[in-house]
Amino acid sequence: MKIVLKYILLLIFIAVLFPKISFATHNRAGEITYKQIGSLLDYKFEITVTTYTEIQSPANRASIDLIFGDGNTENVPLSNRKNIGNSTYYNKYTTVHTYPGPGKYKLEFYDPNRIADVVNMGNSVYTPFYIHTELQISPSRGLNRSPILLQPPIDYAQKGEFFEHNPNAYDPDGDSLVFTLIPPKQNSNEDVYNYYKPGAKNCFCLDNYTGELFWDYPDTIGIFNIAILVEEFRNKKRIGYIVRDMQIIVVPGNNHPPKIQPIADTCVEAGKNLKLIIPVTATDIDVNQFIILSANGGPFIQSSNKAILTPTNPVTAQTKVTGNFEWAPSCNAIRDEPYAVVFKAKDSVRYSSSHLPLVDLEHFFIKVVGPAPENLTVNNTIKGIDLSWEPPSVCTNAWGYNIYRKIDSSFWDTTVCETALPKYSGFRLLDSTFGYNQTKYFDDNKGNGLIPGVIYCYRITAYYVGENYKVVEGYASNEVCARLNKDLPVITHVDIEKTNETNGKIFVDWSKPNELDTNIYKGPYRYDIFRSKDKNHDSPKLIKQINANSFYQLTDTILIDSQINTANNQFSYRIDFYGTEQGNNYFLGNAKSASSIFLNITPSHNSLVLNWDENVPWYNNHYIIYRQRSGNGEFDSIGTTQQKTYTDSGLTNGFDYCYKIKSFGYFSSSNFVYPIINFSQEKCAFPVDTIKPCPPNLQAKSICEQDLSELSWFYIDSSCAIDVIGYNIYYSELLKEDYSLIKKVNGYYTRFYQDQRIELEHSLAGCYHITAIDSYGNESVFSNKVCVDNCPDYILPNIFTPNGDGVNDTYHPITGGFQHIEKVDFYVYNRWMQLVFETNNPELNWDGKENEENKDCSEGTYYYICRVYQIYLNGLKPITKKGTITLIR
């Protein structure tokens, strides 16, 4: 009777804890893919589940259940099945589903069983097969299609021989892909039981960028399953992923794999033919075999202009084979991400217990680049520079052009695979045009005017729009340069001569327009001088006019601007130039505005950080920093830099220091004064302590009997905490990272705290950090993290007496730490295994009555099964208790 009862209880236990287990099917591998077939706003997707199953298996279903992640499930019929050899079926189930709106959706397929005898998981034939894919809908990101995995997920390896595999993922949208090894799943967020990564002599590794899987070397014969997570990224944000569950079968043998010579990554200009200079070559040390050379990848599945691999020696009994790869991509193939190509060399297909066909893979990338605009030319005018060019003659799908400019020639030229204009070339993006035929541009510095006498150089790129309207720049055009005649004034100095809040003084100087054609642009002439209280000349005010009857009388090029606040303000100046025609003044142009150097100082511990800025038409190539000498008011140089920042160290906190900056600049033309020297205002500040103290070392433990946590801390080396005056204690529930301040502790030597907050009565499980506060108010970084756990104690009695005498009338846990129990699944059965009571309440409170009829249970022995969900630091931990209860009335 006891044996039968135990067996019945065991069956109940299994049924309660493992309701999904059944024995029906034998899956090998598979994945879920999708593509958006509707518009951006109707959210229609074609979804495909691909599985690989044993031929002699119930897994070869006529339909499967597919979970869409939006609350809907569909029974999807089989759309394609074929025998791919090795007792394996390829199965394809395709359907169309429309989602309700933007969001993240998890596609899921669950089948009860995998193939038997998988080495690296527990009891595989009874382990469910589960694959999933994340689909994200976001109209702002455009349409999306999942990656396509071109290489089947079932492969063979030979024990003791190097093995490699590549899923050969192609993303039709040109998104970036990242590959990661993960354990196979048996349900959502649940790894298969007892999984381990296959053992290797050196490495079982996956290249996160290429998807290449390396096994060096398989050391165990048998079947292995792994899973590869393939994540899609667009503009550095993940937009979805697929998970491939795949199988590697390791068999014995004495064969050696062929070897493919390495192939370097490369680029090809759209419309031109790429032919590898060195043919693809594979060799094999084994004789009396032949090698089959094949290739796959994005270039081979284009809608037009597909790549071609032409074997030159497709004969048997060879130890070497070569092939010629050619691809002339169309202009529609231009995109930012490169195309991946995987060459595969497979030796003799004879199969026996001592000979397994082995393969070698060689992976390389091809980037398709857009051609450059052609025949760029320039023509200078008094107002600016005219640019014109011809569009790319091959690719008429260019959407527009980017105009780049720099001062002086770069002596740079584009190289293979180098698109757009790299920063090191010195060119910066000036502007863009839209439209294939928009091939003219007038550069007047966007209305601000160019600097006369300066040499400007230009290059143009065409930009193409690939998948999801992602802009891709092509190669850069030829370089052309032009120089405007010096027929307008050019400011050369904005020099602060006196720093004062009310009586400051600035020296402004400009260069005369000495290349002006006075036969065309006649006098009298006039300078209008404007001042603005900002760097960018946003609020100009006229402060002076200078008139001259003739160009030769236009000799005044200096202004002393005084009685202004140079201590707290930055000033900029502009000069407008006028001539006269038929007695009326008319505007000839202006000198580009130039500002003073403005110095700011940020105090730090025993140091001051100096930062300055200016907006000038010339180049400042270095700066000299001056600091005032104590006592006599003289300034001495203390350093030189090409940056606009400088840190003066070794100072005394609280002591005042004063500085000014001297700039050395130049124009690229020889028609200007050299060097151009200007000073900033004088600025004073004193260092303060901004250095954070170091945190102490924290310790903590839980005192379960009192529902509190006890913290203590100490310093191993207190030299970094000599001015600490207190501490802040931070807390987070369980393993969350949202820490909140719970206590401020005063005093350097206070090193103990008891956390007795009422929130801990339900659960002590949580984590703590502590920080130190110094006398300047600086707070340290977080200390080490320490966590305390609950100590649940859930003890069930084996007898109770529900007779109404007020003593032991209800069945409940023996007094202990059951406040740290989240819930229970508690079931009580009579001796005929009929359920008489159940509850989820951790306190149980069974009064000896049956649940259904609310009548008293008879005296005797009852059996219980209790699943207890204990609250621990890393979440709920279920444990199962079983036993008997004696009911006495």
Side-chain angles (χ1 to χ4, degrees):
M1 178 63 186
K2 289 183 179 180
I3 295 176
V4 173
L5 180 59
K6 288 183 178 179
Y7 178 73
I8 294 173
L9 287 172
L10 177 62
L11 290 179
I12 295 172
F13 175 74
I14 292 175
V16 171
L17 299 185
F18 305 104
K20 290 186 177 181
I21 286 184
S22 60
F23 314 115
T25 60
H26 301 85
N27 278 280
R28 289 181 177 272
E31 71 262 356
I32 305 173
T33 56
Y34 62 85
K35 61 181 179 180
Q36 193 166 355
I37 58 176
S39 68
L40 280 174
L41 299 178
D42 63 9
Y43 316 127
K44 184 183 292 185
F45 287 80
E46 180 183 276
I47 301 169
T48 298
V49 179
T50 304
T51 64
Y52 296 78
T53 56
E54 284 186 312
I55 289 179
Q56 305 298 326
S57 164
N60 304 312
R61 302 180 183 280
S63 63
I64 61 166
D65 289 333
L66 175 60
I67 300 171
F68 294 111
D70 60 354
N72 294 306
T73 300
E74 180 183 330
N75 188 256
V76 181
L78 179 72
S79 57
N80 187 22
R81 172 172 290 156
K82 57 185 178 181
N83 186 335
I84 62 172
N86 297 319
S87 300
T88 301
Y89 271 146
Y90 160 90
N91 310 286
K92 183 177 178 182
Y93 304 85
T94 300
T95 187
V96 174
H97 183 72
T98 300
Y99 283 91
K104 293 182 180 180
Y105 300 96
K106 190 174 182 180
L107 298 162
E108 300 175 273
F109 168 62
Y110 175 94
D111 218 24
N113 295 91
R114 296 173 176 270
I115 190 173
D117 301 322
V118 177
V119 175
N120 61 329
M121 68 177 68
N123 207 8
S124 61
V125 73
Y126 299 138
T127 300
F129 177 81
Y130 172 84
I131 50 177
H132 66 284
T133 287
E134 183 184 272
L135 179 154
Q136 293 187 22
I137 301 176
S138 174
S140 63
R141 294 179 189 162
L143 296 170
N144 191 31
R145 293 167 286 183
S146 70
I148 302 169
L149 305 182
L150 302 175
Q151 184 74 12
I154 297 179
D155 214 342
Y156 283 82
Q158 180 178 292
K159 181 182 177 182
E161 282 291 340
F162 184 84
F163 170 81
E164 57 185 319
H165 173 88
N166 195 307
N168 205 347
Y170 168 69
D171 192 284
D173 299 321
D175 296 317
S176 301
L177 301 180
V178 176
F179 302 84
T180 308
L181 272 178
I182 63 172
K185 305 295 180 183
Q186 63 179 356
N187 211 331
S188 178
N189 300 317
E190 188 176 353
D191 298 344
V192 297
Y193 293 129
N194 299 323
Y195 170 79
Y196 64 89
K197 190 166 69 172
K201 180 180 179 181
N202 296 302
C203 177
F204 188 91
C205 308
L206 183 74
D207 189 308
N208 298 115
Y209 179 52
T210 66
E212 202 92 23
L213 176 67
F214 305 97
W215 194 353
D216 182 18
Y217 298 95
D219 59 4
T220 303
I221 294 172
I223 303 170
F224 294 83
N225 267 73
I226 62 170
I228 300 177
L229 169 69
V230 185
E231 298 173 282
E232 288 183 278
F233 289 84
R234 186 177 298 171
N235 298 323
K236 299 182 179 180
K237 294 183 178 180
R238 192 173 82 167
I239 60 169
Y241 65 79
I242 66 175
V243 174
R244 161 172 274 191
D245 194 310
M246 69 165 291
Q247 194 166 90
I248 305 169
I249 304 169
V250 181
V251 300
N254 56 9
N255 191 17
H256 299 91
K259 298 294 181 184
I260 304 175
Q261 293 181 359
I263 304 170
D265 298 341
T266 187
C267 290
V268 59
E269 186 176 308
K272 293 185 178 181
N273 187 47
L274 170 67
K275 184 175 181 178
L276 297 181
I277 298 175
I278 302 176
V280 183
T281 303
T283 58
D284 197 320
I285 64 173
D286 295 323
V287 297
N288 298 322
Q289 295 190 18
F290 66 88
I291 306 170
I292 300 173
L293 183 65
S294 60
N296 211 334
F300 292 93
I301 60 173
Q302 298 295 297
S303 58
S304 63
N305 296 57
K306 298 181 180 181
I308 299 172
L309 177 66
T310 307
T312 58
N313 295 307
V315 297
T316 61
Q318 296 291 319
T319 58
K320 178 179 179 180
V321 66
T322 61
N324 293 314
F325 173 84
E326 292 186 65
W327 188 30
S330 71
C331 296
N332 292 327
I334 298 170
R335 70 180 199 179
D336 190 50
E337 286 294 312
Y339 293 83
V341 175
V342 177
F343 289 102
K344 180 178 180 180
K346 182 178 180 181
D347 65 11
S348 175
V349 295
R350 292 182 299 107
Y351 180 80
S352 69
S353 60
S354 62
H355 184 93
L356 172 74
L358 297 181
V359 302
D360 185 36
L361 302 178
E362 179 63 25
H363 183 286
F364 82 114
F365 289 109
I366 305 171
K367 184 170 183 178
V368 180
V369 181
E374 301 169 3
N375 302 320
L376 174 62
T377 60
V378 293
N379 181 40
N380 57 312
T381 71
I382 189 172
K383 297 293 186 181
I385 297 175
D386 275 316
L387 291 83
S388 63
W389 60 92
E390 296 175 7
S393 57
V394 174
C395 291
T396 59
N397 61 334
W399 278 43
Y401 305 92
N402 288 335
I403 297 97
Y404 290 84
R405 184 184 72 192
K406 78 175 295 291
I407 293 177
D408 290 342
S409 177
S410 65
F411 303 104
W412 169 87
D413 203 358
T414 185
T415 59
V416 174
C417 297
E418 192 170 36
T419 57
L421 275 297
K423 284 187 176 181
Y424 73 84
S425 70
F427 282 92
R428 296 295 180 265
L429 180 64
L430 172 65
D431 210 340
S432 301
T433 66
F434 180 76
Y436 176 74
N437 292 313
Q438 298 300 311
T439 58
K440 295 184 182 297
Y441 184 80
F442 180 68
D443 182 18
D444 63 351
N445 204 31
K446 298 184 178 180
N448 296 315
L450 296 172
I451 304 168
V454 171
I455 298 173
Y456 292 94
C457 297
Y458 301 87
R459 286 180 183 266
I460 312 294
T461 64
Y463 61 85
Y464 304 83
V465 178
E467 298 91 347
N468 286 298
Y469 303 99
K470 189 173 183 179
V471 175
V472 184
E473 283 190 85
Y475 284 131
S477 72
N478 59 302
E479 180 181 306
V480 294
C481 301
R483 172 186 175 275
L484 292 182
N485 291 332
K486 192 167 172 286
D487 46 19
L488 291 172
V490 178
I491 298 175
T492 58
H493 292 84
V494 181
D495 182 25
I496 297 181
E497 293 189 336
K498 183 179 180 179
T499 301
N500 193 275
E501 292 186 359
T502 58
N503 195 28
K505 186 186 298 184
I506 296 180
F507 170 77
V508 181
D509 188 16
W510 59 94
S511 180
K512 187 177 178 179
N514 53 18
E515 294 180 355
L516 180 71
D517 188 341
T518 57
N519 292 319
I520 299 175
Y521 307 107
K522 302 180 183 297
Y525 302 97
R526 188 180 83 229
Y527 292 135
D528 284 0
I529 304 170
F530 292 84
R531 180 182 68 209
S532 182
K533 197 185 295 184
D534 59 82
K535 179 181 73 172
N536 297 317
H537 207 70
D538 293 330
S539 304
K541 292 182 180 179
L542 181 65
I543 60 172
K544 188 175 182 179
Q545 290 183 326
I546 299 175
N547 295 281
N549 289 326
S550 69
F551 184 77
Y552 298 102
Q553 293 175 327
L554 196 66
T555 58
D556 197 351
T557 62
I558 293 175
L559 169 71
I560 304 298
D561 192 14
S562 57
Q563 296 183 335
I564 54 177
N565 182 359
T566 56
N568 302 316
N569 296 318
Q570 186 173 21
F571 293 95
S572 61
Y573 297 85
R574 189 189 79 222
I575 301 170
D576 289 358
F577 185 42
Y578 289 84
T580 304
E581 185 174 16
Q582 297 179 354
N584 296 317
N585 292 122
Y586 69 97
F587 180 64
L588 292 174
N590 58 37
K592 187 176 180 182
S593 66
S595 77
S596 60
I597 305 171
F598 193 76
L599 172 63
N600 284 299
I601 303 177
T602 303
S604 188
H605 181 59
N606 296 129
S607 64
L608 293 168
V609 181
L610 283 62
N611 292 281
W612 57 92
D613 199 11
E614 78 279 335
N615 187 5
V616 295
W618 59 86
Y619 280 103
N620 283 326
N621 62 356
H622 73 277
Y623 303 87
I624 297 178
I625 296 90
Y626 288 86
R627 185 176 69 199
Q628 193 172 42
R629 191 184 307 162
S630 300
N632 60 12
E634 295 293 326
F635 280 83
D636 294 327
S637 63
I638 60 170
T640 302
T641 180
Q642 292 183 329
Q643 308 302 317
K644 293 182 180 180
T645 183
Y646 181 85
T647 300
D648 191 14
S649 304
L651 306 179
T652 302
N653 287 344
F655 188 82
D656 214 23
Y657 297 86
C658 297
Y659 301 85
K660 63 180 178 180
I661 308 298
K662 181 181 181 180
S663 66
F664 281 78
Y666 66 94
F667 281 106
S668 59
S669 172
S670 60
N671 295 325
F672 298 94
V673 61
Y674 177 86
I676 299 173
I677 297 176
N678 291 281
F679 278 93
S680 74
Q681 90 281 21
E682 298 172 11
K683 183 82 172 180
C684 302
F686 55 87
V688 296
D689 182 4
T690 58
I691 303 300
K692 295 179 179 180
C694 57
N697 293 279
L698 182 62
Q699 297 176 325
K701 62 181 180 180
S702 54
I703 311 297
C704 293
E705 297 81 3
Q706 302 176 42
D707 288 331
L708 61 84
S709 296
E710 192 171 272
L711 281 66
S712 61
W713 53 93
F714 63 94
Y715 280 104
I716 298 175
D717 179 5
S718 60
S719 61
C720 59
I722 54 176
D723 58 347
V724 167
I725 61 172
Y727 308 92
N728 287 341
I729 299 174
Y730 295 84
Y731 175 80
S732 174
E733 295 180 359
L734 299 180
L735 291 181
K736 298 178 182 177
E737 293 299 325
D738 51 339
Y739 285 86
S740 57
L741 177 66
I742 61 169
K743 182 66 176 179
K744 292 186 177 183
V745 179
N746 295 322
Y748 172 73
Y749 291 104
T750 305
R751 305 288 177 86
F752 180 80
Y753 171 70
Q754 285 189 336
D755 187 5
Q756 305 182 54
R757 293 172 297 134
I758 192 171
E759 297 96 314
L760 303 185
E761 290 185 359
H762 178 61
S763 172
L764 291 177
C767 297
Y768 295 86
H769 282 292
I770 190 170
T771 61
I773 310 296
D774 69 15
S775 57
Y776 285 88
N778 299 308
E779 183 175 13
S780 74
V781 297
F782 274 0
S783 69
N784 58 303
K785 178 173 70 174
V786 294
C787 301
V788 297
D789 215 336
N790 285 321
C791 30
D793 187 14
Y794 199 75
I795 301 174
L796 298 179
N798 59 8
I799 188 171
F800 81 123
T801 57
N803 53 17
D805 64 357
V807 179
N808 202 21
D809 280 338
T810 59
Y811 185 82
H812 53 75
I814 297 173
T815 302
F818 67 85
Q819 67 270 32
H820 297 157
I821 306 299
E822 177 72 17
K823 67 172 184 175
V824 299
D825 296 326
F826 182 70
Y827 305 93
V828 180
Y829 301 88
N830 60 23
R831 59 182 177 175
W832 296 282
M833 298 312 298
Q834 296 172 329
L835 181 68
V836 297
F837 178 77
E838 63 177 311
T839 184
N840 299 118
N841 186 349
E843 297 186 24
L844 304 182
N845 294 327
W846 181 33
D847 58 1
K849 296 182 181 292
E850 292 187 10
N851 273 48
E852 294 293 329
E853 301 180 12
N854 198 30
K855 66 179 182 180
D856 289 340
C857 294
S858 60
E859 291 187 332
T861 300
Y862 293 80
Y863 308 94
Y864 71 82
I865 298 176
C866 185
R867 170 65 74 86
V868 184
Y869 296 88
Q870 299 176 331
I871 304 172
Y872 282 96
L873 189 63
N874 57 357
L876 297 181
K877 178 181 177 181
I879 65 167
T880 301
K881 293 176 175 286
K882 295 183 291 184
T884 61
I885 305 171
T886 300
L887 189 155
I888 302 175
R889 295 193 179 277

